[in-house]
Amino acid sequence: MKIAFHGAARAVTGSKHLITLTNQTQILLDCGMFQGMGESTEKLNSYFGFEPSKVTYMILSHAHIDHCGLLPRLVAEGFKGNIFCTPATMDLARILLMDSAKIQEQDAAYANKKRPQNEEVEEALYTEDDVIKTLSQFKIIDYDTSFDICPEVAVCFTDAGHIVGSAAVHLTIKENGKSTRLTFSGDVGRYGDLILKSPQVFSQADYIIMESTYGDSLHKDLEPIENMLYEIIQHTCIEKKGKVVIPAFSVGRTQELLYALNNLELKHKLPDVPFYVDSPLSIQATEVLKNHPEVYNNGVKEVMKTDEDPFSFKGLKFIESVEESKALNNDNRPSVIISASGMAEGGRVRHHIRNTIGDQKNTILMVGYASPGSLAGKLMAGDKQVYLFRENLDVVAEIRSIRSMSAHGDYEDLLQFLSSQDPALVKQLFLVHGEYPVQQHFAKRLNEHGFKQVVIPEYHQVFDCETEPAWSI
């Protein structure tokens, strides 16, 4: 068995890990899009590093675009096998991939309109027709259900607690007369998340592919999320008469914000200002979450005994049309605008940031991970000037963050996720989905917890499980 790392290798996005068995069966774990990688993003997304037509099966951990966003491209280039995932992941992937296809087609059309006559016509990365074909290849598997995808391989999903439908993937692989267990963590969520159940324990693995996004960080804030939201909104909207703009991922963070704000209303503490969710995709994603109450933790279930919709409250309005979105920028009244994308690399939130960044009465609030090269990442890093819509804009507005709202677990959560494992029985632990310096710190911490064979693969690096480990941190 060989494992090749074709994405999220010493980087946070583009998750793609290819397992090749002795009989040449190929199993692809995730097929994500690279995001926020600057000028190299387009090039990275145009090259897989393997032949899509040779991939036998595809297993999807969850529906975030950096894990599923290149599936239509994979299918368009010849992949014909099944795509296995949980029911909620399929529901989310449907809306996220269709939205992504529209963006790809719009971007290509815009580029061609500005294209010099002597340059080649730019093609969309994939189309809505590619997405429709891709969705026909999905096959759902419930949590905690072992399913034989072929005589040599069984797959089981456990809840990863990251977003609705997210799963850790557990493979039992039989070849050469022996059985090998491989676990892919997907993205690991928080223990004690506002909405979701905590990540499940899992059986002993021989090999583990482990995310490490926050491998050197702790998310603990001095105050609960609700208190911090109240303080920021009160300070900005009530005292300074400004706007709070929140770049938030359509899946996960938007719903967590709505839940926290709803709790403030239940406690009669919600400031009396308009609240807008300006993202059609966020509206659809919220409906998916409402349709999958099986992922709710006991706290949400308790709230629902007296409040049938824990994601709605007085003063909340969902914005769908472009005209309504533009109108928000012409409305100078204090308000809270939640809009995608979370890294502020696309979508309507960039217009809201441009509209508010130059006034000290406003606040731009980050509530999740942002890669260093993204607009949100630069704001979080304290840049005093950012480039947006072909302009250099001075950062005058207040910049705040609530790190504990990340959907990714911190290093304590990641270690707790691994606590069911006997480190001595793990032959190799591969760190993916993280910035390289962060992974180096986390690798040392794992060493201290008994995991001695920790590897940080390079982009496109191949590891042969039949040979002795040749490299480790």
Side-chain angles (χ1 to χ4, degrees):
M1 179 178 75
K2 294 181 180 180
I3 309 172
F5 299 89
H6 295 294
R10 304 191 182 188
V12 172
T13 62
S15 181
K16 290 179 217 67
H17 316 297
L18 185 66
I19 300 167
T20 303
L21 306 187
T22 306
N23 66 5
Q24 298 307 303
T25 296
Q26 292 192 348
I27 303 161
L28 181 62
L29 303 175
D30 284 355
C31 191
M33 186 181 290
F34 288 94
Q35 297 173 302
M37 304 288 284
E39 293 180 358
S40 62
T41 303
E42 184 177 345
K43 182 179 178 181
L44 288 167
N45 284 328
S46 65
Y47 175 66
F48 284 113
F50 56 88
E51 289 291 334
S53 61
K54 293 182 179 179
V55 176
T56 321
Y57 306 103
M58 195 275 148
I59 301 174
L60 178 59
S61 67
H62 66 287
H64 272 150
I65 288 296
D66 62 328
H67 291 258
C68 78
L70 285 185
L71 277 174
R73 177 86 175 193
L74 187 79
V75 170
E77 291 193 15
F79 171 68
K80 294 181 173 59
N82 284 324
I83 300 166
F84 298 97
C85 65
T86 66
T89 291
M90 180 174 177
D91 289 347
L92 272 182
R94 178 184 292 109
I95 62 173
L96 292 177
L97 290 175
M98 288 300 287
D99 180 75
S100 179
K102 289 177 184 176
I103 292 172
Q104 308 307 320
E105 292 179 294
Q106 288 169 358
D107 286 351
Y110 179 80
N112 288 325
K113 190 181 293 184
K114 302 289 184 179
R115 170 183 60 89
Q117 288 186 343
N118 61 335
E119 287 189 7
E120 291 185 12
V121 173
E122 184 166 325
E123 299 288 340
L125 200 57
Y126 51 84
T127 67
E128 291 185 44
D129 286 342
D130 293 326
V131 173
I132 293 169
K133 185 177 179 182
T134 300
L135 292 171
S136 72
Q137 295 174 219
F138 273 65
K139 186 176 181 65
I140 61 173
I141 302 174
D142 291 325
Y143 288 125
D144 303 311
T145 302
S146 181
F147 182 86
D148 293 332
I149 63 174
C150 65
E152 298 83 13
V153 181
V155 61
C156 181
F157 292 131
T158 55
D159 195 338
H162 174 61
I163 61 171
V164 57
S166 63
V169 179
H170 311 284
L171 300 179
T172 302
I173 300 169
K174 298 174 183 177
E175 60 176 353
N176 302 327
K178 65 178 183 179
S179 180
T180 301
R181 283 187 57 88
L182 182 147
T183 285
F184 169 43
S185 70
D187 283 350
V188 180
R190 305 293 311 281
Y191 290 82
D193 184 86
L194 273 182
I195 299 170
L196 304 176
K197 294 176 182 176
S198 293
Q200 288 180 260
V201 298
F202 60 100
S203 301
Q204 183 67 45
D206 300 301
Y207 297 93
I208 299 174
I209 302 173
M210 180 76 186
E211 76 114 321
S212 53
T213 308
Y214 281 116
D216 68 344
S217 301
L218 285 175
H219 292 329
K220 299 185 187 301
D221 283 310
L222 296 176
E223 293 187 71
I225 291 168
E226 292 170 23
N227 292 356
M228 295 184 73
L229 282 173
Y230 171 79
E231 182 271 318
I232 291 167
I233 296 169
Q234 182 74 16
H235 172 64
T236 303
C237 298
I238 306 302
E239 296 172 14
K240 296 197 300 178
K241 309 299 182 185
K243 291 182 178 181
V244 178
V245 173
I246 310 178
F249 292 110
S250 297
V251 179
R253 296 294 62 74
T254 293
Q255 292 76 38
E256 193 169 341
L257 285 165
L258 295 179
Y259 182 74
L261 293 169
N262 182 68
N263 283 346
L264 284 175
E265 184 188 48
L266 294 176
K267 296 173 183 177
H268 307 291
K269 292 179 62 178
L270 188 68
D272 186 16
V273 297
F275 293 83
Y276 302 101
V277 174
D278 185 18
S279 166
L281 190 60
S282 297
I283 299 169
Q284 296 176 65
T286 302
E287 287 303 311
V288 171
L289 179 59
K290 290 179 181 180
N291 291 334
H292 288 276
E294 71 273 10
V295 304
Y296 297 165
N297 60 33
N298 290 333
V300 179
K301 292 176 182 176
E302 193 64 29
V303 168
M304 291 183 69
K305 290 179 180 178
T306 55
D307 183 0
E308 64 179 18
D309 188 350
F311 306 103
S312 182
F313 48 87
K314 180 183 176 182
L316 175 64
K317 182 177 181 181
F318 290 96
I319 302 296
E320 295 203 46
S321 72
V322 174
E323 290 72 25
E324 286 181 297
S325 179
K326 289 179 178 178
L328 294 181
N329 287 324
N330 297 322
D331 187 342
N332 293 321
R333 292 176 299 173
S335 62
V336 177
I337 301 172
I338 303 167
S339 186
S341 70
M343 293 193 196
E345 281 298 283
R348 297 176 180 180
V349 74
R350 291 170 68 85
H351 295 275
H352 297 307
I353 290 174
R354 180 176 63 176
N355 186 61
T356 56
I357 199 169
D359 195 326
Q360 62 182 359
K361 72 181 179 182
N362 301 318
T363 298
I364 301 170
L365 172 62
M366 261 65 71
V367 292
Y369 176 81
S371 62
S374 67
L375 175 58
K378 291 174 182 177
L379 290 172
M380 289 177 72
D383 286 15
K384 299 302 181 184
Q385 193 176 78
V386 293
Y387 188 71
L388 181 60
F389 294 115
R390 301 182 181 181
E391 291 182 272
N392 288 310
L393 301 177
D394 292 329
V395 181
V396 181
E398 266 192 76
I399 307 299
R400 301 284 297 271
S401 67
I402 304 180
R403 292 182 65 83
S404 60
M405 288 194 74
S406 172
H408 289 269
D410 59 23
Y411 71 74
E412 286 188 349
D413 294 309
L414 298 178
L415 290 172
Q416 186 170 347
F417 178 78
L418 292 170
S419 63
S420 61
Q421 301 296 290
D422 180 346
L425 298 179
V426 177
K427 296 178 181 179
Q428 207 80 32
L429 192 155
F430 303 95
L431 290 184
V432 297
H433 212 289
E435 302 292 346
Y436 187 48
V438 172
Q439 293 177 311
Q440 290 176 304
H441 282 113
F442 189 47
K444 291 176 182 177
R445 199 178 298 274
L446 288 169
N447 290 162
E448 294 167 0
H449 282 76
F451 294 94
K452 299 304 182 185
Q453 299 294 337
V454 181
V455 175
I456 305 175
E458 296 180 20
Y459 186 40
H460 296 314
Q461 190 159 15
V462 181
F463 178 79
D464 190 339
C465 298
E466 297 302 316
T467 63
E468 288 296 315
W471 30 269
S472 61
I473 276 294

